[in-house]
Amino acid sequence: MLRTHTCGELNKTYIGKRVTLCGWVHSRRDHGDLIFIDIRDTYGVSQVVFDPKENRSLHDKAHELKAEYVIRAEGVVRQRPDGTKNSKLATGDIEVLINGFEILNVALTPPFEVSDSSLVADETRFKYRYIDLRRPAMQKNLRTRHKIYSAAREVLEKENFVEVETPFLTKSTPEGARDFLVPSRLNAGMFYALPQSPQLFKQILMVAGLDRYFQIVRCFRDEDLRKDRQPEFTQLDMEMSFVDEDDVYKISEAFIKEAFKKALKIEIKTPFKRMAYQEARGRFGTDKPDTRFGMEIEFLNDELKDTSFKIFKSKLEENALIGAINLKGKGDLSRSAIDGLIEKAKSYGAGGMAYFKCEKGRLASNIDKFFKPEELEAVKNKTKAEDGDLVLIVAEEKETALDVLGSLRISLAEKHSLIDKKKHSFLWITDFPLFKYNKDEKRWDSEHHPFTSCREEDASFLDEGKFGKIRARSYDLVINGQEIASGSIRIHDRKIQEKIFGIIGLGKEEAEKRFGFLLEAFAYGAPPHGGIAFGLDRLATIFTGSTTIRDVIAFPKTQKAICLMTGAPSDVDDKQLRELNIKKIGRL
Amino acid sequence: MLRTHTCGELNKTYIGKRVTLCGWVHSRRDHGDLIFIDIRDTYGVSQVVFDPKENRSLHDKAHELKAEYVIRAEGVVRQRPDGTKNSKLATGDIEVLINGFEILNVALTPPFEVSDSSLVADETRFKYRYIDLRRPAMQKNLRTRHKIYSAAREVLEKENFVEVETPFLTKSTPEGARDFLVPSRLNAGMFYALPQSPQLFKQILMVAGLDRYFQIVRCFRDEDLRKDRQPEFTQLDMEMSFVDEDDVYKISEAFIKEAFKKALKIEIKTPFKRMAYQEARGRFGTDKPDTRFGMEIEFLNDELKDTSFKIFKSKLEENALIGAINLKGKGDLSRSAIDGLIEKAKSYGAGGMAYFKCEKGRLASNIDKFFKPEELEAVKNKTKAEDGDLVLIVAEEKETALDVLGSLRISLAEKHSLIDKKKHSFLWITDFPLFKYNKDEKRWDSEHHPFTSCREEDASFLDEGKFGKIRARSYDLVINGQEIASGSIRIHDRKIQEKIFGIIGLGKEEAEKRFGFLLEAFAYGAPPHGGIAFGLDRLATIFTGSTTIRDVIAFPKTQKAICLMTGAPSDVDDKQLRELNIKKIGRL
């Protein structure tokens, strides 16, 4: 090594020691005769001193040093004079008096300062990612991410999981998202697809008797990118044979627990709570509730069943849901603030929204005169309103009402800082519907994917055509209101798999063409199996407290799927395309 | 879990215990009244017994069981009767008397038996990979591979390496091999390339101050496939800042040592021997010598400098090399066997080959009369020939002679079983030439890649145009005669990097277009850095004693880059291509 120590490890115990440090010039301060340089590496910052009384020529040469020069400096560790110590810095008690150094590399003036506090446009950060990544926060993000990976492997290896790599150049079986395609040069006119997930391969590995598989693996979706989507993303993928839901929960919880311990030194409690999909929707208006705060949805249909308030009355006749949330202590919101909330409710799909303030033990509002006192009292009791609270009420078709109240709940919690960001909430959502009705295409789609099995009690509905009633053996892990993992106990019976394909409108021929190899594998002794996949970008975002997955990905792409640093994607030679038996055509 | 125990763990200590096993019907034997089933899972095989005296209806149902059915069976562990124990099996002392079972899945008759000894055509194995992978040897291969990965991560994490994922959708910078291309839908006419290696990204990570990076990562090369190549392959990739060669050797050796320990329970000795490229070529005729056996090349130019044997004489005038190897104890090879060797030498590029048998203390041959006795004596001494040995001599232009003798050496060792396959040889090859002359294109190419730095002592040759004399700071790790890893101390100076691009004929504009982002990064404070990449497919092949990398890859492709199981690559909808702004054209 060109260094004897890193820039983060020197402290009082090293005083008097001769050391050599390597790193980047973080800052230079000229104090009278002395020149102070902070040298930075990934482990920390050390202060070195050039004293002309010690070595005149070195001191002269130190004047050349500019920000981000790479240097190697040799000297002796000494105590900093009293009054100059920096208790915020691990190395703040000492400095290194330099008696030899060399410039390993010079640097142009960087486009922005290497500091967590420098505000820089995303475009600049991505173009000069090698400078952006030098910032301590970004270095820490990547290390935290690595610790999550390390925890996963440690837990899974202990439990006999085998890491198996599945192909990247595989078969196009589009479901949900578009595939990225790769033309085959050796097979003209044929294309590989980059995998959207290793789903089929991991099931095949169970048929192959691997028993317990895992992989930390890149997946690809060619979608129009939203803020928190990237064309490539990373999953912790796993699958087990001869299991039921509890086994998957247990291993998943062990992983999350170890990750929190290893990466954040936080001890979390397991097992996690579980909640059925219907309950989550009803209480929180979403299938990924953030349970770090209350403000749960209350159903007021019973309380208002005889209401003479016209709007509610007619909604009730349409079988609507009257739902409310109680925004504690915000009864003093101004009329215009409340109007803002109503607009927000409308943007989420509501036709309108009623509100009541709780004052002097009763609910008051511009419409309270339309309600009987006992109705107001019943609503007050149901929503547990106390003086100073604001009760918001939506009456809409059930799913719409839940969507609106669920979105409003999150938005209000963010706005009024009701979430303790130091807390973490963990929740299994279970019993998802197996199918959802696709109104546009007038057919049933899989809620998760078509390889999900259904609960034994509901299996008869498959033949009876009661598709909407069937509960799946699927589960999501929700952390802080974000879906972090999703999985299911799979179908392992060829006939049932074919039946499901049929229900979602995949004809026999089409199913054979796309999934024939899976169906065939099922015919040769497939064990019962199940698994789960964790979205590691999102999990790392939670662990690092980042606001976007781009802050936990070393080289992210923009919303147009461009890498601003390398310029990918780029034009290629016509010769290259010719060899691949394709040519460009104009944009549609 | 549907089971209480695996099929590999039951032994005498479980006698009397009630257990539930899940697995595949490996075999069924009907012995008089009793039915014996071997149940198999990835952990082993257990014998279960159906006794009609215990349970008639279960016994009847057991008649349905066929090979590869998946079952769940419940019973009590008991000692096998004397004379029926199987000491080869971990579970061979016991059996399970069944009092309950269910068929979890049926199976068609498999196309081949699930057994290590069944000989099956590759095409069948690949098509039914899920059956092929059930074979114990294949299961073990995948587990061994995983243990190598686990060892790598354990060693590197302990040494502060950070695992960072680099992009798969990246920029096409073809070097050496063809890139796989991925059309961009969002950027019409533009293409991503799948990475041939993360070389540029890992260097960028060093510029970003990450200090120590590693990744186990898939790489892609669109080449015409030879037996031991796959379009996608896996590297253990690493890079470190502020290091020299010794640091890279040390961490690499620690990894290999731990992998041997963890995967094979073998303690190997480190550090590994080192040998300069020139020495390896001279002694073994290759830059990846197998040092598990001798038969080294001897140069006879001094011994034969005054020879009157015409062929050698004229070769010497052309500055040729006269080189020999001594095939110990094979002086009794028949004339036709020796003719075969001469043909082989010719196939390797020699014009011919001379040979001498050592008999009665002297070298004898059909051409010995053309040599002086003292010349024969000198050759005998140099090649350390003893009675019964066969000395083979080639006189050719130096590189050709070395190629021929090196290839002959390996081929003879294989044929005459001179290699102790239980031994492993480890060797660092150092001091490769930085450039090699490309005769066809009449220019200099990089021997490794253009990011390799040169030895300080040779740096002046860069400006003097003595490109053939420059030694690189590069190194290969050779195990058992196979190149397993390759790396170098890199260039970190923008000007030198530009100079190298110039020497290999990359114009300024072209260099900018392809590698501009690297050159720019180098301008902002790049540290000295170096690294290495291990070919994990090949390493796993050595660890498992396999003859092809396909036996350590779960889902390999054929030589035409086809996956026989899924049918990838496949045809895709024209609509998909239209969205990607490309169309198919006829084959060239």
Side-chain angles (χ1 to χ4, degrees):
Chain A
M1 297 289 297
L2 304 183
R3 68 189 173 215
T4 59
H5 297 80
T6 71
C7 297
E9 68 179 302
L10 299 179
N11 58 36
K12 274 194 267 184
T13 65
Y14 290 86
I15 287 170
K17 287 242 163 74
R18 192 163 195 78
V19 299
T20 305
L21 300 179
C22 289
W24 285 259
V25 172
H26 190 59
S27 64
R28 189 181 104 194
R29 295 178 304 282
D30 296 14
H31 275 299
D33 267 358
L34 302 175
I35 296 178
F36 295 90
I37 302 278
D38 279 348
I39 311 187
R40 188 196 67 239
D41 67 14
T42 188
Y43 310 102
V45 170
S46 284
Q47 176 171 293
V48 306
V49 192
F50 293 84
D51 185 340
K53 288 189 213 112
E54 293 281 328
N55 190 322
R56 166 65 62 186
S57 70
L58 282 184
H59 182 269
D60 288 349
K61 207 176 148 203
H63 277 106
E64 293 173 26
L65 293 177
K66 291 183 193 153
E68 301 308 311
Y69 273 40
V70 186
I71 64 170
R72 180 185 193 213
E74 208 182 321
V76 176
V77 182
R78 70 180 188 189
Q79 191 144 24
R80 292 200 199 181
D82 282 340
T84 67
K85 291 183 183 172
N86 181 348
S87 62
K88 279 187 215 150
L89 217 58
T91 61
D93 284 334
I94 58 91
E95 60 190 14
V96 181
L97 182 66
I98 294 306
N99 45 38
F101 93 103
E102 61 176 314
I103 294 174
L104 296 172
N105 215 341
V106 295
L108 298 176
T109 304
F112 53 92
E113 201 191 332
V114 176
S115 150
D116 287 344
S117 56
S118 59
L119 287 172
V120 191
D122 276 353
E123 289 66 32
T124 313
R125 288 179 60 199
F126 294 155
K127 175 161 170 47
Y128 299 98
R129 190 63 162 175
Y130 38 87
I131 296 172
D132 188 44
L133 287 179
R134 284 182 199 162
R135 306 200 288 171
M138 293 301 292
Q139 299 257 328
K140 199 177 163 204
N141 284 0
L142 294 181
R143 279 179 198 278
T144 298
R145 184 170 184 142
H146 174 202
K147 282 178 191 156
I148 297 172
Y149 287 24
S150 181
R153 294 190 189 110
E154 194 183 312
V155 167
L156 295 174
E157 287 180 15
K158 218 179 277 171
E159 294 289 337
N160 264 321
F161 281 73
V162 194
E163 181 177 0
V164 180
E165 292 167 275
T166 52
F168 281 99
L169 297 172
T170 182
K171 181 172 161 141
S172 180
T173 56
E175 17 148 355
R178 285 186 196 85
D179 282 325
F180 280 104
L181 295 184
V182 184
S184 166
R185 180 178 55 85
L186 296 175
N187 303 278
M190 304 295 223
F191 294 78
Y192 303 100
L194 300 179
Q196 297 188 28
S197 91
Q199 181 65 33
L200 299 182
F201 286 105
K202 71 176 172 174
Q203 294 194 239
I204 292 277
L205 285 173
M206 294 304 102
V207 181
L210 258 287
D211 203 61
R212 298 177 154 214
Y213 141 94
F214 84 99
Q215 190 182 191
I216 291 181
V217 63
R218 209 74 56 84
C219 302
F220 304 84
R221 285 176 189 219
D222 185 10
E223 292 179 304
D224 297 321
L225 303 180
R226 284 180 279 140
K227 192 181 176 192
D228 247 19
R229 285 277 172 88
Q230 288 279 315
E232 46 184 306
F233 56 98
T234 306
Q235 280 187 357
L236 166 61
D237 193 46
M238 52 175 114
E239 197 77 7
M240 305 156 79
S241 288
F242 307 115
V243 292
D244 57 28
E245 289 84 341
D246 279 331
D247 302 300
V248 180
Y249 297 163
K250 209 169 141 191
I251 194 77
S252 300
E253 287 164 357
F255 153 52
I256 294 292
K257 189 180 174 76
E258 181 66 24
F260 268 89
K261 196 165 137 187
K262 205 159 188 167
L264 301 177
K265 296 195 170 62
I266 293 176
E267 281 288 346
I268 62 166
K269 272 190 201 137
T270 53
F272 301 150
K273 284 191 184 139
R274 303 174 193 179
M275 192 182 288
Y277 169 85
Q278 290 298 350
E279 181 182 344
R281 281 287 287 168
R283 288 173 57 189
F284 302 96
T286 173
D287 57 3
K288 31 182 182 285
D290 189 333
T291 53
R292 287 175 298 178
F293 64 101
M295 214 197 300
E296 294 188 20
I297 298 168
E298 299 295 343
F299 291 9
L300 304 177
N301 290 45
D302 283 350
E303 285 70 15
L304 299 176
K305 64 177 189 296
D306 301 320
T307 187
S308 47
F309 180 55
K310 270 194 194 151
I311 298 174
F312 286 3
K313 199 177 154 145
S314 68
K315 285 284 182 187
L316 283 174
E317 281 158 13
E318 293 164 12
N319 252 326
L321 169 69
I322 305 181
I325 52 176
N326 176 358
L327 182 56
K328 300 292 296 176
K330 296 294 167 192
D332 56 354
L333 281 190
S334 69
R335 175 70 217 216
S336 73
I338 291 175
D339 283 346
L341 290 183
I342 294 171
E343 283 314 305
K344 192 154 255 180
K346 286 181 179 169
S347 77
Y348 295 142
M353 184 166 69
Y355 68 91
F356 292 90
K357 296 177 174 186
C358 190
E359 290 166 350
K360 297 178 191 160
R362 65 178 291 272
L363 294 184
S365 133
N366 52 348
I367 52 165
D368 56 9
K369 56 179 175 280
F370 300 113
F371 295 87
K372 298 184 201 86
E374 53 270 32
E375 284 174 345
L376 292 177
E377 183 68 14
V379 169
K380 186 182 97 137
N381 290 339
K382 190 74 182 277
T383 59
K384 296 187 191 71
E386 298 169 305
D387 280 5
D389 291 354
L390 180 68
V391 175
L392 303 169
I393 304 181
V394 163
E396 301 291 344
E397 180 275 324
K398 185 178 173 189
E399 300 304 324
T400 307
L402 293 174
D403 284 346
V404 170
L405 289 166
S407 301
L408 212 52
R409 175 178 173 272
I410 290 295
S411 152
L412 288 168
E414 287 291 349
K415 174 152 193 182
H416 297 290
S417 304
L418 304 183
I419 302 170
D420 179 354
K421 299 276 182 179
K422 278 181 206 134
K423 269 170 71 176
H424 296 286
S425 75
F426 307 90
L427 187 63
W428 288 109
I429 302 296
T430 65
D431 296 304
F432 282 85
L434 187 62
F435 300 106
K436 60 175 173 235
Y437 193 67
N438 184 330
K439 285 176 200 159
D440 298 337
E441 312 237 343
K442 293 197 177 137
R443 63 142 202 261
W444 292 92
D445 285 339
S446 292
E447 170 80 29
H448 272 74
H449 57 54
F451 313 107
T452 308
S453 64
C454 73
R455 283 178 58 155
E456 190 116 15
E457 314 91 283
D458 299 352
S460 61
F461 299 148
L462 273 177
D463 294 320
E464 295 163 17
K466 298 178 181 164
F467 303 133
K469 286 188 120 179
I470 305 173
R471 285 164 301 171
R473 293 184 69 183
S474 65
Y475 32 79
D476 281 2
L477 177 60
V478 175
I479 303 184
N480 302 348
Q482 291 202 59
E483 179 205 317
I484 289 303
S486 188
S488 62
I489 303 299
R490 327 293 184 188
I491 296 163
H492 63 279
D493 182 307
R494 180 179 176 140
K495 286 197 198 88
I496 295 177
Q497 187 64 69
E498 285 174 328
K499 200 182 285 180
I500 299 289
F501 284 149
I503 291 168
I504 61 171
L506 210 59
K508 225 170 172 143
E509 204 178 322
E510 185 69 11
E512 187 58 42
K513 193 176 151 197
R514 274 157 68 175
F515 304 113
F517 65 100
L518 183 73
L519 293 171
E520 183 159 30
F522 279 0
Y524 284 102
H529 59 286
I532 193 165
F534 288 76
L536 292 179
D537 303 283
R538 243 188 262 172
L539 189 62
T541 306
I542 288 179
F543 269 64
T544 56
S546 305
T547 52
T548 157
I549 58 171
R550 291 180 188 171
D551 280 352
V552 296
I553 295 173
F555 301 103
K557 294 196 172 62
T558 66
Q559 293 205 15
K560 276 214 74 182
I562 289 168
C563 171
L564 292 175
M565 186 182 78
T566 62
S570 58
D571 202 1
V572 297
D573 288 348
D574 282 339
K575 183 170 159 273
Q576 270 178 286
L577 298 184
R578 255 238 145 270
E579 283 190 325
L580 299 175
N581 307 294
I582 57 169
K583 68 180 273 193
K584 292 183 231 171
I585 56 174
R587 191 183 253 291
L588 276 185
Chain B
M1 298 287 299
L2 304 184
R3 68 188 174 214
T4 58
H5 296 80
T6 70
C7 297
E9 67 181 304
L10 299 179
N11 56 38
K12 274 194 266 185
T13 65
Y14 291 86
I15 287 170
K17 287 242 165 69
R18 189 162 195 80
V19 300
T20 305
L21 300 179
C22 289
W24 285 259
V25 172
H26 190 61
S27 63
R28 188 180 107 196
R29 295 179 303 284
D30 298 12
H31 274 299
D33 267 357
L34 302 174
I35 296 178
F36 294 91
I37 303 278
D38 279 348
I39 311 188
R40 188 194 68 237
D41 67 13
T42 188
Y43 310 101
V45 170
S46 284
Q47 176 171 297
V48 306
V49 192
F50 293 84
D51 186 340
K53 286 187 215 115
E54 294 281 330
N55 190 322
R56 165 67 60 187
S57 70
L58 283 182
H59 183 270
D60 288 348
K61 205 175 149 206
H63 278 106
E64 292 173 26
L65 294 176
K66 293 183 193 154
E68 301 308 312
Y69 273 39
V70 186
I71 64 170
R72 180 184 193 215
E74 211 182 320
V76 176
V77 182
R78 70 179 190 190
Q79 191 146 22
R80 291 198 200 183
D82 282 340
T84 66
K85 292 185 183 170
N86 181 349
S87 62
K88 280 186 212 148
L89 216 58
T91 60
D93 284 336
I94 57 92
E95 60 191 12
V96 181
L97 182 64
I98 294 308
N99 44 39
F101 92 103
E102 61 178 312
I103 294 174
L104 297 172
N105 215 341
V106 296
L108 298 177
T109 303
F112 52 91
E113 200 192 333
V114 176
S115 150
D116 287 344
S117 56
S118 60
L119 286 172
V120 191
D122 277 352
E123 289 65 33
T124 311
R125 288 180 58 201
F126 294 155
K127 175 158 171 44
Y128 299 98
R129 190 61 161 178
Y130 38 86
I131 297 171
D132 188 43
L133 288 179
R134 284 182 198 162
R135 306 200 288 171
M138 294 303 291
Q139 299 257 330
K140 198 176 165 206
N141 283 1
L142 294 182
R143 280 180 196 275
T144 299
R145 183 168 185 145
H146 175 202
K147 283 179 190 156
I148 297 172
Y149 287 23
S150 181
R153 294 191 189 109
E154 192 183 314
V155 167
L156 295 173
E157 286 180 16
K158 218 179 277 171
E159 295 289 337
N160 265 320
F161 281 72
V162 194
E163 180 176 0
V164 181
E165 291 168 275
T166 53
F168 280 100
L169 296 172
T170 182
K171 184 175 159 137
S172 180
T173 56
E175 15 148 355
R178 286 185 195 85
D179 282 325
F180 280 102
L181 295 183
V182 184
S184 167
R185 181 178 55 87
L186 295 174
N187 304 277
M190 304 295 223
F191 294 79
Y192 303 99
L194 300 178
Q196 296 189 27
S197 91
Q199 181 66 31
L200 300 181
F201 285 104
K202 71 175 173 174
Q203 294 194 239
I204 292 276
L205 286 173
M206 294 303 103
V207 181
L210 257 286
D211 204 62
R212 297 176 156 215
Y213 141 93
F214 84 98
Q215 190 183 192
I216 291 180
V217 62
R218 210 73 56 84
C219 303
F220 304 85
R221 287 177 185 214
D222 185 10
E223 293 179 304
D224 298 319
L225 303 179
R226 284 181 279 137
K227 189 182 177 191
D228 247 18
R229 286 277 172 86
Q230 287 279 313
E232 46 184 307
F233 55 97
T234 306
Q235 280 187 355
L236 166 61
D237 194 45
M238 52 174 114
E239 197 77 6
M240 306 156 79
S241 288
F242 307 116
V243 293
D244 58 28
E245 289 84 339
D246 279 332
D247 302 300
V248 181
Y249 297 163
K250 212 170 138 188
I251 194 76
S252 301
E253 287 164 356
F255 154 51
I256 294 291
K257 189 181 175 74
E258 182 64 24
F260 267 90
K261 197 165 134 186
K262 206 159 184 165
L264 301 177
K265 297 195 169 65
I266 293 177
E267 281 288 346
I268 61 166
K269 272 192 201 136
T270 53
F272 301 150
K273 285 191 183 140
R274 302 175 193 178
M275 192 183 288
Y277 170 84
Q278 289 299 349
E279 183 183 342
R281 281 287 288 166
R283 286 173 58 189
F284 301 96
T286 174
D287 57 3
K288 31 183 181 286
D290 189 333
T291 54
R292 288 176 295 177
F293 65 100
M295 214 199 299
E296 294 188 20
I297 297 167
E298 299 294 343
F299 290 9
L300 303 178
N301 289 44
D302 283 350
E303 286 70 13
L304 298 177
K305 66 178 189 294
D306 301 320
T307 188
S308 46
F309 181 56
K310 269 191 194 156
I311 298 173
F312 284 4
K313 198 174 159 160
S314 68
K315 285 284 182 186
L316 283 174
E317 279 158 13
E318 293 163 12
N319 252 326
L321 168 70
I322 304 181
I325 51 175
N326 176 358
L327 181 57
K328 301 290 297 175
K330 297 293 169 190
D332 56 356
L333 283 190
S334 68
R335 177 68 218 217
S336 74
I338 292 175
D339 283 346
L341 291 182
I342 294 171
E343 282 316 304
K344 191 153 253 178
K346 286 180 179 169
S347 77
Y348 294 141
M353 183 166 71
Y355 67 92
F356 292 90
K357 296 176 175 189
C358 189
E359 293 167 346
K360 296 178 190 161
R362 67 179 289 272
L363 294 183
S365 136
N366 53 347
I367 53 164
D368 57 9
K369 56 180 177 277
F370 300 115
F371 295 88
K372 296 186 202 85
E374 55 270 32
E375 285 174 342
L376 292 179
E377 183 69 13
V379 169
K380 184 182 98 135
N381 290 339
K382 191 71 181 283
T383 59
K384 297 189 191 67
E386 297 170 306
D387 280 6
D389 291 354
L390 179 68
V391 174
L392 302 169
I393 304 181
V394 163
E396 299 293 343
E397 181 276 325
K398 186 178 171 188
E399 300 304 323
T400 307
L402 292 174
D403 284 346
V404 170
L405 289 165
S407 302
L408 212 52
R409 178 178 170 271
I410 291 294
S411 150
L412 288 169
E414 287 291 349
K415 174 150 192 180
H416 297 289
S417 304
L418 304 183
I419 302 170
D420 178 354
K421 298 278 182 178
K422 278 182 209 134
K423 269 170 72 177
H424 295 286
S425 75
F426 306 91
L427 187 64
W428 287 109
I429 302 295
T430 67
D431 296 303
F432 282 84
L434 187 62
F435 300 107
K436 62 175 172 235
Y437 193 68
N438 183 330
K439 283 176 199 159
D440 299 337
E441 311 237 342
K442 291 195 178 141
R443 63 144 201 260
W444 292 91
D445 285 339
S446 292
E447 170 80 26
H448 273 73
H449 57 54
F451 313 107
T452 309
S453 65
C454 72
R455 284 179 57 155
E456 189 117 15
E457 314 92 282
D458 299 351
S460 62
F461 299 147
L462 274 177
D463 294 320
E464 294 163 19
K466 296 177 182 165
F467 304 132
K469 285 187 121 180
I470 304 172
R471 285 164 301 171
R473 293 183 70 182
S474 64
Y475 33 79
D476 281 2
L477 177 60
V478 175
I479 304 184
N480 302 348
Q482 290 203 61
E483 180 205 317
I484 289 303
S486 186
S488 62
I489 303 300
R490 327 293 184 187
I491 297 164
H492 63 279
D493 181 309
R494 179 180 174 138
K495 286 199 197 87
I496 294 176
Q497 188 64 69
E498 286 174 329
K499 200 184 284 180
I500 299 289
F501 283 151
I503 290 168
I504 61 170
L506 210 59
K508 225 173 172 137
E509 202 178 323
E510 184 70 11
E512 187 58 43
K513 193 175 150 199
R514 275 159 62 174
F515 304 112
F517 65 100
L518 183 74
L519 293 171
E520 184 159 30
F522 279 0
Y524 284 101
H529 60 285
I532 193 164
F534 288 77
L536 292 179
D537 304 283
R538 240 187 265 173
L539 189 62
T541 307
I542 288 179
F543 269 65
T544 55
S546 304
T547 52
T548 157
I549 58 171
R550 292 180 189 172
D551 279 353
V552 296
I553 294 172
F555 302 103
K557 294 196 172 63
T558 65
Q559 292 205 15
K560 275 213 78 182
I562 290 168
C563 171
L564 293 176
M565 188 183 76
T566 61
S570 58
D571 203 1
V572 297
D573 287 349
D574 282 340
K575 182 171 159 270
Q576 269 178 287
L577 299 183
R578 252 231 147 278
E579 283 191 325
L580 299 174
N581 306 292
I582 57 169
K583 67 180 269 193
K584 292 184 231 171
I585 55 175
R587 191 182 253 293
L588 275 184

